[in-house]
Amino acid sequence: MSNLDLARWQFAITTVYHFLFVPITIGLSAMVAGFETQWLRGRNPEMLRLAKFFGKLLLINFALGLVTGIVQEFQFGMNWSAYSRFFGDIFGAPLAFEALLAFFLESTFLGVWIFGWGRIPEKAHAACMWLVHIGTLLSAYFILAANSFMQHPVGWKYNATTGRAELTDFVAVLTNKVQLVTFPHVVASAYLVGGGVVMGVGLWLLHKHRGTKDSLMYRKAARIGAVVTLLAGAGVAVTGDTQGKIMTEVQPMKMAAAEALYTTQDHCAAFSLFTIGSLNGQSQKAAVKVPCVLSFLATGSFEGKVDGIDDLKASLPAQLQKQARAEGVPAAYSQPADAVYTPNIPLAYWSFRLMIGVGMTSTIVALGVLWVTRKGRTALAKPWVWAGIAVPLLPVLGNSFGWIFTETGRQPWLVYGVMSTKTGVSGNGAGTVLTSMVVFTLLYAALAVVEVRLFLDYTRRGADPAPPDPDAASTDEHDTPAPVSFVY
Amino acid sequence: MTLETFWFILIAVLWTAYLMLEGFDFGVGMLLGIFGRDAEGEDGATRRRVLLNAIGPFWDGNEVWLLTAGGATFAAFPAWYASMFSGFYLAFLLVLVALILRNMGLEYRHKRHGETWQRRWDAIIVTCSVIAPLLVGTALTNLVRGVPLNKAGDFTGTLLTLLNPWSLLGGLTILALSLTHGCFFIALKTDGQVRRDARALGTKAGLVSAVLAVVLLGWVDLHTGTTWSWITSAVAAVALLGALAANLRGREGFAFSGTMLTIGMAVATYFVALFPDVMPSTTNAAYSLTVDNASSSHLTLQIMTGAAVVMTPVVIGYSAWNYWVFRKRISTSTLPTKHDPLAPLPPSESLQEAGR
């Protein structure tokens, strides 16, 4: 494999791995903050127990999310130095903003939250977790703004004197229309994950503790998780739909690839549920299609026109090259050398379907959970327990498929239409990149095993019993700190 | 002062803050391997908990200074960021692996009770707390010394180019300073035998650091120094001697502030000596990256300046609050009893009993 292939693989591995933990952190921090706030409002000890219990799961997960994020930040310089030089003027700023506005907030207040039980006022303690959550959202905003720029570059110009892209309008970068639909979509997906984890873990523990008083608490958790999953699912669908239309507008090839649609449909394009056989446009054996739905997804009208791959292949290169020339970008950057203007179709097609499929499935399961736990029911049929185990996994995978789709669908460009992926890579030898890829992948694999084991062990154990007297946990100014659950 | 210079100073400040803060938690990480054994009336396991609890609320926030330094370099000097990280590739790979494993150790060590589990993570924390400052010091020294860069700004050497005697001396100095800094932090933050041990070791580590630092900073000043770098070096040396004197007299707060200032001034010396280059080329001086040819456009720098001016005081404010909240000394006697986070739970009441 070439240096370029390895750098791409490494980026894919790092990003997908990092993004297994990010949505859990975003979603779960909100859930934990919510439980703790509920406890402050109603003094129901169950809410405190849930806050502490899910807090532990959050911490196990946060640790890995953080360390993989570090690699992410430095990877641009290590593997994509030509890109960093060319676009750093624009791309670096959101990253620096993320560090300054979000990372400090998350790290500092998570530290205070962990060690602050009984040492700071209760309201301040709950506020710490909300600040952690706000930090995760800010983090997501800036990173997605940087990514949206790569999908749809705005607010920049090419400077021929310095030979690089330069920022002209930072507000435009932060309010990129792709960003304005991507951010809500990603955040809703993260809440879907957070809700799914709480619902799934709650269901499983409800079953384990059936017949005991604790089952009522876990039932509550499962139901709260289910409600969040449903609301988030609706949010994911609405934002995803809007995103589809913007995507069709700015990256028509991505939508065509997502559907493996080769010939342009002037009206009423069908949405393909799945296809058996090859996706090369010729040897399709069977496909299940829903008429007109693709037109609606892509344009908002059942009668809308959707461009096919073949037609785009003929018209898109000239159009993009013209745009790049108008910006003054040298052809060496903007034109993929081997003139491949289509992304990997099967990858785009299947990741798009899986993303939507798992998202919808988890919402349906959530509805079912609300039904089977209605009116104080705590006895569950076995399949619901299995659903409880599967449900947190589904949206996590859905998020991964979403990123695989959106990132591979942008190919062959790093920055759509402006800089081809090939021209952005560092000059390091393939051996160097391979070394780091092997090291990181092995490290990630080992850490994944550790984290999953810990996560399962803590889940299996369940929530700690309620503290004997909740008032004793209030602020004390004595020299001897009260034994607190989170001290190392 | 131009915006480019302002940002050079800001990045220097970020690196300085990083080493001043994470320096002591690196040091404490190393101490885990030194003080973590049984001592007079205190068992090793509890002593290790004291050390880890002392840095518990802080280390994560300290590390963010590195991420911010990286992000700010990317935004303000993209060419520098690109050349440095692609050029120091394998060295940074090692730093990243060390930081990842160290973080995981600090986070996961307490999540399980088993002896083997904790021993293994302890070993990882100690090893990585040595490797990380060693390599960061090596990398920063290479930055000042200059590395082979071609016209495009790409590093043309190998990993061995980076492992030269001066840069290794730089790595060792940062390592020794971190250890001293960590000792003084523990002396300040704990009580009992650990505190006394930390003071004793701090003196020894401080003397070694002093010798290393004088040779290193003297070389830097002779190499590319200016009057200002001689001044910062001198302040660093005086601060270190002051810290040692304060430590001997049991003034732990002054000792810790002293090493804080030492590390600050040592890193400042580096950046003063570096300016106006950001990454000198040993191949041809014309290929060197400077604050002018490596910087971002004015608009980007202006936006970043606005963000930095507004946010830095806020960040410093809540970080200070964090240190204030957890200001109390801890010791083996005040530490709550150790509990197994995964111990079996008492059976919970059944629904029927609860209903009665």
Side-chain angles (χ1 to χ4, degrees):
Chain A
M1 269 200 274
S2 70
N3 172 24
L4 175 67
D5 293 332
L6 289 163
R8 288 183 64 187
W9 269 107
Q10 181 163 19
F11 193 87
I13 293 168
T14 312
T15 312
V16 170
Y17 191 70
H18 176 56
F19 212 74
L20 295 177
F21 307 105
V22 171
I24 304 182
T25 303
I26 297 177
L28 217 46
S29 60
M31 302 293 290
V32 171
F35 284 132
E36 195 176 345
T37 308
Q38 266 315 103
W39 171 64
L40 285 180
R41 288 161 60 107
R43 293 283 158 181
N44 177 355
E46 286 184 350
M47 284 295 158
L48 179 62
R49 293 174 67 196
L50 287 176
K52 288 193 173 188
F53 171 62
F54 284 106
K56 284 181 192 171
L57 298 187
L58 169 68
L59 293 177
I60 292 170
N61 169 77
F62 183 87
L64 256 185
L66 181 105
V67 295
T68 51
I70 304 178
V71 181
Q72 204 52 343
E73 176 179 337
F74 293 119
Q75 184 169 214
F76 295 108
M78 291 167 80
N79 281 344
W80 303 98
S81 59
Y83 168 73
S84 300
R85 279 190 196 110
F86 194 83
F87 273 110
D89 193 61
I90 306 148
F91 192 80
L95 263 64
F97 269 67
E98 187 200 14
L100 202 58
L101 268 72
F103 285 169
F104 276 116
L105 206 64
E106 290 171 55
S107 297
T108 309
F109 286 101
L110 194 66
V112 179
W113 190 83
I114 297 171
F115 289 87
W117 290 100
R119 296 205 190 186
I120 54 170
E122 285 166 349
K123 280 185 183 159
H125 191 269
C128 285
M129 188 47 83
W130 283 114
L131 286 169
V132 171
H133 180 60
I134 291 169
T136 64
L137 292 179
L138 283 170
S139 202
Y141 197 88
F142 288 113
I143 287 307
L144 292 173
N147 183 269
S148 296
F149 178 82
M150 298 170 90
Q151 308 286 350
H152 179 56
V154 290
W156 70 286
K157 68 171 186 346
Y158 178 73
N159 181 338
T161 323
T162 53
R164 66 174 184 196
E166 289 180 357
L167 186 69
T168 56
D169 187 349
F170 193 53
V171 176
V173 172
L174 292 182
T175 56
N176 188 342
K177 63 181 170 188
V178 172
Q179 161 71 355
L180 294 182
V181 291
T182 304
F183 177 69
H185 187 60
V186 170
V187 170
S189 311
Y191 288 145
L192 189 72
V193 171
V197 169
V198 172
M199 171 168 81
V201 168
L203 271 184
W204 192 78
L205 286 169
L206 160 59
H207 180 70
K208 193 181 167 200
H209 293 266
R210 61 189 177 276
T212 72
K213 212 179 151 197
D214 278 358
S215 67
L216 295 174
M217 174 177 72
Y218 294 123
R219 172 180 168 271
K220 195 173 283 174
R223 286 180 66 85
I224 291 172
V227 170
V228 171
T229 304
L230 270 183
L231 293 176
V236 171
V238 171
T239 52
D241 178 61
T242 321
Q243 204 182 8
K245 289 168 182 58
I246 302 277
M247 178 178 83
T248 312
E249 188 188 324
V250 303
Q251 297 176 328
M253 184 63 98
K254 200 190 261 185
M255 187 47 122
E259 283 300 317
L261 179 73
Y262 282 84
T263 26
T264 300
Q265 304 285 311
D266 285 326
H267 66 95
C268 192
F271 178 80
S272 149
L273 277 182
F274 66 89
T275 300
I276 298 165
S278 138
L279 290 166
N280 61 10
Q282 273 101 50
S283 56
Q284 189 183 86
K285 289 203 179 65
V288 178
K289 292 185 173 178
V290 192
C292 299
V293 169
L294 176 58
S295 281
F296 183 75
L297 281 179
T299 65
S301 150
F302 288 107
E303 287 303 310
K305 176 184 168 204
V306 183
D307 290 324
I309 296 165
D310 290 337
D311 296 298
L312 285 169
K313 232 174 179 167
S315 63
L316 200 61
Q319 186 202 329
L320 287 172
Q321 281 166 24
K322 199 176 142 200
Q323 275 171 15
R325 258 202 312 278
E327 297 281 0
V329 181
Y333 287 112
S334 61
Q335 288 174 32
D338 42 7
V340 176
Y341 278 80
T342 44
N344 183 327
I345 310 281
L347 191 62
Y349 179 88
W350 285 114
S351 56
F352 189 63
R353 249 135 222 90
L354 287 166
M355 168 184 79
I356 296 176
V358 294
M360 287 173 103
T361 311
S362 53
T363 325
I364 293 165
V365 173
L367 261 180
V369 166
L370 285 179
W371 175 252
V372 296
T373 57
R374 72 192 184 279
K375 294 183 193 154
R377 279 162 215 242
T378 54
L380 282 185
K382 255 282 154 45
W384 288 110
V385 182
W386 287 111
I389 296 165
V391 149
L393 296 175
L394 288 176
V396 169
L397 292 177
N399 273 275
S400 301
F401 291 127
W403 273 112
I404 292 170
F405 170 68
T406 202
E407 292 295 271
T408 58
R410 187 187 63 218
Q411 298 304 323
W413 285 281
L414 270 178
V415 174
Y416 190 73
V418 181
M419 186 181 213
S420 68
T421 307
K422 199 175 184 161
T423 50
V425 76
S426 294
N428 297 99
T432 309
V433 187
L434 183 65
T435 308
S436 81
M437 195 174 97
V438 170
V439 168
F440 281 129
T441 308
L442 290 179
L443 183 65
Y444 286 167
L447 292 178
V449 173
V450 175
E451 112 94 47
V452 169
R453 272 196 58 187
L454 271 182
F455 199 95
L456 292 181
D457 286 347
Y458 274 83
T459 303
R460 207 170 289 140
R461 182 172 180 272
D464 281 321
D469 176 15
D471 291 328
S474 59
T475 326
D476 70 27
E477 280 293 326
H478 305 297
D479 281 334
T480 34
V484 282
S485 58
F486 277 113
V487 81
Y488 280 170
Chain B
M1 183 170 54
T2 63
L3 267 180
E4 287 81 3
T5 307
F6 175 75
W7 271 92
F8 178 82
I9 294 171
L10 216 57
I11 284 164
V13 168
L14 289 168
W15 276 105
T16 309
Y18 172 64
L19 286 168
M20 287 197 307
L21 294 171
E22 185 128 286
F24 75 74
D25 69 60
F26 281 146
V28 175
M30 296 177 227
L31 288 180
L32 212 58
I34 304 171
F35 292 166
R37 279 167 277 123
D38 296 349
E40 273 179 72
E42 292 177 338
D43 80 303
T46 316
R47 283 169 66 102
R48 289 199 293 276
R49 287 181 63 215
V50 169
L51 294 172
L52 289 166
N53 275 293
I55 56 167
F58 312 125
W59 65 268
D60 204 356
N62 293 346
E63 193 165 287
V64 179
W65 291 90
L66 174 70
L67 300 182
T68 310
T73 310
F74 196 173
F77 299 98
W80 182 14
Y81 170 85
S83 296
M84 181 159 63
F85 287 95
S86 62
F88 295 174
Y89 197 103
L90 290 172
F92 270 114
L93 168 71
L94 278 174
V95 173
L96 291 179
V97 170
L99 290 178
I100 288 173
L101 283 171
R102 185 174 177 274
N103 281 9
M104 299 311 292
L106 290 168
E107 297 272 10
Y108 281 179
R109 178 193 189 278
H110 321 276
K111 299 264 186 299
R112 197 184 280 280
H113 204 45
E115 174 86 359
T116 327
W117 169 272
Q118 300 207 335
R119 282 275 171 197
R120 278 187 193 154
W121 282 122
D122 285 347
I124 285 173
I125 295 171
V126 174
T127 314
C128 294
S129 298
V130 170
I131 292 175
L134 188 68
L135 288 177
V136 170
T138 309
L140 284 178
T141 314
N142 273 313
L143 209 58
V144 179
R145 188 176 176 268
V147 286
L149 289 183
N150 64 19
K151 199 165 183 235
D154 282 323
F155 176 73
T156 52
T158 64
L159 186 59
L160 290 178
T161 319
L162 301 174
L163 299 177
N164 55 75
W166 286 114
S167 67
L168 290 175
L169 174 68
L172 282 176
T173 311
I174 295 290
L175 180 75
L177 281 171
S178 296
L179 180 63
T180 316
H181 200 33
C183 285
F184 293 164
F185 178 76
I186 286 301
L188 179 65
K189 287 290 294 178
T190 64
D191 217 339
Q193 189 59 35
V194 181
R195 180 183 179 185
R196 289 188 287 277
D197 287 351
R199 275 180 13 196
L201 184 66
T203 306
K204 290 179 205 154
L207 288 171
V208 175
S209 314
V211 174
L212 291 172
V214 165
V215 177
L216 177 75
L217 295 180
W219 165 74
V220 170
D221 290 327
L222 290 171
H223 184 62
T224 50
T226 64
T227 316
W228 281 107
S229 76
W230 280 103
I231 293 171
T232 50
S233 307
V235 177
V238 172
L240 187 52
L241 294 178
L244 284 166
N247 181 51
L248 287 175
R249 301 188 55 191
R251 304 296 296 269
E252 288 146 350
F254 283 109
F256 180 64
S257 311
T259 43
M260 191 78 103
L261 186 62
T262 308
I263 295 181
M265 285 296 126
V267 181
T269 304
Y270 269 38
F271 282 92
V272 170
L274 188 59
F275 186 83
D277 284 345
V278 292
M279 203 162 164
S281 169
T282 53
T283 312
N284 181 340
Y287 301 160
S288 294
L289 298 178
T290 67
V291 287
D292 290 316
N293 71 23
S295 73
S296 278
S297 66
H298 260 246
L299 179 62
T300 300
L301 292 178
Q302 280 164 357
I303 291 164
M304 296 281 299
T305 305
V309 166
V310 174
M311 283 313 295
T312 313
V314 177
V315 169
I316 291 175
Y318 63 64
S319 303
W321 177 70
N322 181 21
Y323 278 85
W324 175 253
V325 167
F326 300 105
R327 66 192 177 280
K328 287 194 180 110
R329 283 182 191 272
I330 51 173
S331 73
T332 45
S333 59
T334 56
L335 212 60
T337 42
K338 189 174 179 174
H339 69 286
D340 178 2
L342 284 168
L345 290 168
S348 69
E349 271 180 89
S350 80
L351 275 174
Q352 285 80 6
E353 283 168 34
R356 252 186 274 143

